Amino acid sequence: MPLKNFASQLALSLALFGTAMGQKVEGPEYNKPNGGPPGKFFAASSSLPVAALQAAAAKASVVPSHATYPIGEDSSIKSTIHTDWAKFSEGAAISWVADMDVDCDGINHGCKGNPDGQEKTNWGALSAYEVPFIVIPDEYLMANKATIKGNSIAAVICNGKMYYGILGDSNGDEPQVTGEASWILARTCFPEENLDGNRGHTAADVTYILFTGESAVLPKSALNKNYITNFDTLRSMGDKLVGALSSNLKLGGDGNPPTTLTTTSVPQPTGDSCDWPGHCAGASCSTHDDCSDPFACVNGKCAVDPGSVPCEWEGHCAGAQCNSHDDCSDPFSCQNGVCA
C-alpha cells in the first residue's frame, strides 16, 4: 500500500476509533487485580504495521552508553537499549527487546508474589492494576534525563499484539534489569500465563518502544498520581507517535516494508531434522539449551547459528524476524516468523 494511502487510511480509522470508544474513567473502579481496564482501552490501532515494527526493532544496532542490562537478576541473557530512532523530528524513540516481569510498585505494592514492593513509583504512586506502564533501568534514566521523561508514551509489542502504556518507574536493583511492566500490562499481554509479582514471562520476545521528548509525555489532563483517567488520550497519542515512526521507517500498512528490489527465489524449508518437538526452528528460547540440535538461541528464537552459514544480505540472516521467504537472505527461508 502506498504510504500516502496508508496515512489517509490510518487517519480515518483513528478518527472512527476514537469516536466509538470514549474511555474516560475515574481510576479506582479498575484498581483490582482481576478487574483492571480491558485491553481494548489501551490497544493500538489495527491499521498500524505491528509485525514490521517488531522486525525493525530486532535489527536496531546503535548502542549508546549505559545501554546493556541483564533481563533478570540471575540471568546471563542481556538486553540492549538502541537509539537508531532517537533523532527523528517526529516519532523519536528508543527500543529494546527483553522478557516481561511484573512490577507492582505504587499503591498495589503488596500484589501477589511481591512482598517487598515500594509504595511509590518514580513520578507518583501508580496503580499497577489500572495503569499500563513500563520500567527502565535507573542508570539509563539518569544518564538521559534530557530526553527520557516520566509518563512518556510507550508501545509494547507482545504475543503478536501492540499495546500502549507510559514510562512509570525505574529499576534501581543490583543488578539493574530490563524487561518489566505493570501488573495490568503484563497480564493483558500474556493472559494465559497467570503472571504475578514472582512469576514473569521468561522468553525474551517482547519489544519495548519508548518515545522521547516533551511531546511524548501523557498530559496531566489524562492522568493523576495514581491512575490514567483518559485512555482516549493515551491511545490517540500512541497511534500518532507510532504512525510517525512507521512513516520515518517507510513501513507500509500491510506490515511489510515497501520494496523495489528484484529478489531471487528463496528455497523452501528443507525439513531439517529436529528431535525435540517444540524446540525446533522458530521456537522461543532463552539459552542455547532451550533449542534442539542443530539450532542455537538467536534473538530469542531457535535458529541456525548465524556464524555457521554464510549470509550476503545483512539484517536478513539466520535469526532475523520475517513475514515471508523474500524477507530472508539465501539460503535461509522464513520459518515461524524467523529466518532459518
Side-chain angles (χ1 to χ4, degrees), residues 6 10 14 44-45 47-50 53-54 85 90-93 153-157 162-164 209-211 234-251:
F6 168 53
L10 177 60
L14 296 187
S45 168
S47 300
L48 294 166
V50 175
L53 272 172
Q54 187 170 33
W85 309 335
E90 293 184 72
I153 303 293
V156 177
I157 302 174
M162 183 162 67
Y163 297 100
Y164 297 127
I209 301 171
L210 176 62
F211 293 95
L234 174 68
R235 268 197 327 276
S236 63
M237 287 183 66
D239 284 340
K240 180 179 179 181
L241 289 164
V242 171
L245 176 60
S246 300
S247 294
N248 290 330
L249 298 175
K250 296 180 171 58
L251 304 180

Side-chain angles (χ1 to χ4, degrees), residues 10-31:
L10 177 60
L12 177 59
S13 66
L14 296 187
L16 294 173
F17 190 65
T19 300
M21 295 185 60
Q23 298 299 346
K24 296 180 181 180
V25 302
E26 295 297 324
E29 68 269 37
Y30 290 113
N31 186 33

Side-chain angles (χ1 to χ4, degrees), residues 3 19 44 62 74 95 107 120 177 221:
L3 287 177
T19 300
V62 178
D74 300 316
S95 65
I107 62 175
K120 294 186 180 298
V177 301
S221 60

Side-chain angles (χ1 to χ4, degrees), residues 27 30 40 107 140 189 192-193 227 258 267 291 304 309 337:
Y30 290 113
K40 66 181 181 180
I107 62 175
Y140 188 86
C189 280
E192 305 300 322
E193 296 188 20
Y227 304 106
C291 302
V304 176
V309 180

Side-chain angles (χ1 to χ4, degrees), residues 78-158:
K78 300 291 181 67
S79 171
T80 297
I81 298 169
H82 292 101
T83 56
D84 300 54
W85 309 335
K87 294 184 179 180
F88 292 138
S89 59
E90 293 184 72
I94 60 175
S95 65
W96 63 98
V97 178
D99 62 345
M100 183 174 278
D101 293 326
V102 176
D103 185 298
C104 283
D105 288 349
I107 62 175
N108 307 127
H109 59 88
C111 76
K112 181 180 178 182
N114 192 56
D116 59 348
Q118 306 297 311
E119 294 183 1
K120 294 186 180 298
T121 48
N122 273 49
W123 299 278
L126 295 175
S127 165
Y129 297 155
E130 196 261 1
V131 180
F133 68 80
I134 68 168
V135 182
I136 199 168
D138 193 64
E139 179 182 335
Y140 188 86
L141 176 64
M142 292 299 102
N144 295 275
K145 286 184 176 181
T147 55
I148 306 300
K149 306 294 183 180
N151 301 325
S152 291
I153 303 293
V156 177
I157 302 174
C158 55

